[in-house]
Amino acid sequence: MAHDTTIGDRIRALRDFRDVTQEQLAVRAGCSVDTIRKLEQGVRSTASLATLRALARALDVELERLLGQPTVTSTSPDDGGLLDLRDAIQDIGSLPGLADDLADDAPDAEAWMAAVGSATALYWQGGYSELSGVLPLLLRDGRAVTRDATGPGAERVWARLALAYQIAASLATQSGHPDWAFQAVERQLVAAERASDPLMSGMGVSTLSWVLLRQGRWEQAQAVAERKADEIEPGFRHASPRHLAVYGNLLIAAATPAARRDQHDDAAEMLRVAEAAAVRSGPTRAYGSAFSVTDVQTQAVNVALAGASPRPGDALTLAQRVDLGAISRPVHAASHRVDVAQAQHQAGDCDGSLATLLEVERQQPEWIRYQTAVAATVRDMLEAERRRNSPLRGLASRIGVDPTL
């Protein structure tokens, strides 16, 4: 089903609500009034991410809301759901002075920790609707398990709870609820501290950087990841693969907002060091994520497309060295393929871009609906595509982009 409003509709409604003219908004956002006029008139259906971020800030609205990020899962689970996830993250009973008695018996700790591992795998498979059904109960059970955990095994339980909150933050972000995600990361960092695990804290900051990136807070996203990377920087000769993996993930997290801010030399240097860490660590799975040379290479493709002057030709060249078979997480593979599709479109290969997106949709039919980069690329393609009943219009309709554009 198509969304009821376009980006231009939302800009016009917010501008009217604040009694701001197109000219005044252009001055505040530092962009062309012609861009605003064309967006509102439907002549253009999107603009660069940097321009949309500036417009969102000028209108004092979250970037995700301006983009029309979907905020519901594609199906409603019988149990749980996104509102239950919100309630589990924003747990009233954990607030000072409002603590409840947690009368329910805690589940078996080992079984609960295994269930968190299964939920992590489900996230990376792109099963968001199913995950929204199981994750709220996992978070609530986690409170009971950590309450009863004592002795040497307590830190293992707290580390697992930190991972559960990391997955909650990731799902909340993907489903258009970055405020919940921020709170989930806060709880992740508290649990990591209880686990006495500075590397889990590092992964928490990596997750936080991604949440801030999705909120359009690029400066803060870069700063927190860089600061934490400097704090845990390992000695390459003796560092464990897990240490190198967390360090490398933080550098990747910092490189993305740096590129969006047109700090391409800084981004390239961070990716160079991250790749050196990946060579040293080898493919590593740790803290609910993965790290390898391939992970760094895919991010280099993404970085080449960021900023005011994207380089689609460079992105496609960089993509040629990526071994798709070495990407261990289905969602990561899909995300990389979306970057390739965006580069193909910007390089003028619209047919190739559409073929890539349709392939991604076949592999990840739920995940693709949440990707604002896909929607932006499809909108651009629709502006140039006027044939009726084309596969492009079918894709547009399925991901929520108005196919009549």
Side-chain angles (χ1 to χ4, degrees):
M1 180 181 295
H3 292 274
D4 292 334
T5 58
T6 65
I7 291 174
D9 292 333
R10 287 186 282 275
I11 291 173
R12 181 172 56 252
L14 288 164
R15 186 176 56 76
D16 289 345
F17 182 77
R18 287 175 169 78
D19 195 21
V20 175
T21 66
Q22 291 178 337
E23 290 75 12
Q24 289 171 325
L25 177 58
V27 171
R28 292 183 184 183
C31 70
S32 165
V33 67
D34 187 57
T35 297
I36 297 172
R37 185 176 296 114
K38 287 181 177 178
L39 285 169
E40 291 190 4
Q41 292 175 347
V43 177
R44 292 182 59 178
S45 59
T46 190
S48 72
L49 190 57
T51 296
L52 295 175
R53 176 183 182 245
L55 287 168
R57 285 184 172 272
L59 291 165
D60 196 26
V61 66
E62 292 177 344
L63 176 60
E64 297 291 317
R65 299 297 181 258
L66 187 61
L67 294 175
Q69 166 73 33
T71 57
V72 296
T73 52
S74 57
T75 61
S76 179
D78 294 334
D79 297 312
L82 289 179
L83 288 182
D84 271 3
L85 177 63
R86 177 202 63 188
D87 294 346
I89 294 171
Q90 300 175 351
D91 184 8
I92 295 173
S94 66
L95 294 174
L98 294 175
D100 54 37
D101 294 332
L102 284 176
D104 293 340
D105 292 336
D108 175 76
E110 293 295 333
W112 173 79
M113 288 191 287
V116 174
S118 297
T120 303
L122 189 58
Y123 173 78
W124 288 115
Q125 291 163 9
Y128 294 164
S129 293
E130 184 179 352
L131 181 60
S132 73
V134 300
L135 193 51
L137 180 59
L138 278 179
L139 294 179
R140 287 193 289 268
D141 282 348
R143 284 188 60 209
V145 172
T146 53
R147 172 202 63 191
D148 293 352
T150 57
E155 289 186 345
R156 287 181 60 231
V157 172
W158 278 105
R160 212 58 169 177
L161 182 61
L163 176 57
Y165 276 116
Q166 178 175 302
I167 297 304
S170 300
L171 178 60
T173 302
Q174 288 281 25
S175 58
H177 300 284
D179 292 342
W180 307 354
F182 189 96
Q183 292 168 312
V185 172
E186 182 180 21
R187 294 187 180 278
Q188 176 187 356
L189 293 174
V190 170
E193 186 173 335
R194 293 292 299 270
S196 302
D197 191 340
L199 293 182
M200 174 53 86
S201 295
M203 279 305 300
V205 173
S206 178
T207 305
L208 173 62
S209 177
W210 180 57
V211 173
L212 294 170
L213 180 79
R214 291 290 292 265
Q215 289 179 325
R217 298 162 68 178
W218 298 345
E219 296 83 0
Q220 293 166 302
Q222 180 180 347
V224 296
E226 277 193 283
R227 187 164 62 245
K228 194 64 175 181
D230 290 343
E231 180 184 317
I232 70 164
E233 183 173 0
F236 271 47
R237 284 187 61 198
H238 303 294
S240 68
R242 292 161 69 88
H243 194 160
L244 290 165
V246 173
Y247 176 67
N249 272 312
L250 284 163
L251 290 175
I252 289 173
T256 305
R260 290 194 181 181
R261 299 174 63 205
D262 291 316
Q263 297 178 359
H264 290 285
D265 290 344
D266 291 341
E269 173 62 13
M270 285 185 275
L271 291 180
R272 185 190 68 77
V273 178
E275 186 162 355
V279 170
R280 183 70 179 173
S281 70
T284 302
R285 286 179 173 269
Y287 301 104
S289 189
F291 182 65
S292 68
V293 170
T294 301
D295 291 293
V296 182
Q297 291 173 341
T298 58
Q299 198 60 28
V301 175
N302 179 273
V303 161
L305 296 171
S309 301
R311 308 184 310 279
D314 290 350
L316 292 172
T317 299
L318 289 167
Q320 291 176 0
R321 67 173 185 158
V322 174
D323 178 6
L324 289 175
I327 302 178
S328 59
R329 298 164 291 171
V331 163
H332 180 201
S335 180
H336 169 65
R337 295 292 287 162
V338 166
D339 287 339
V340 170
Q342 186 177 359
Q344 289 171 316
H345 170 61
Q346 292 180 2
D349 182 9
C350 293
D351 289 340
S353 178
L354 177 59
T356 301
L357 290 177
L358 289 172
E359 179 185 353
V360 172
E361 186 192 26
R362 284 193 294 272
Q363 296 168 349
Q364 290 290 336
E366 181 175 18
W367 174 87
I368 197 172
R369 300 181 187 183
Y370 297 92
Q371 308 312 307
T372 54
V374 174
T377 300
V378 169
R379 288 189 188 101
D380 283 345
M381 294 168 71
L382 281 169
E383 289 183 358
E385 165 66 89
R386 296 303 178 187
R387 290 174 294 174
R388 294 186 179 275
N389 301 319
S390 70
L392 173 61
R393 290 173 178 265
L395 173 62
S397 180
R398 290 190 297 275
I399 67 172
V401 173
D402 185 353
T404 63
L405 289 172

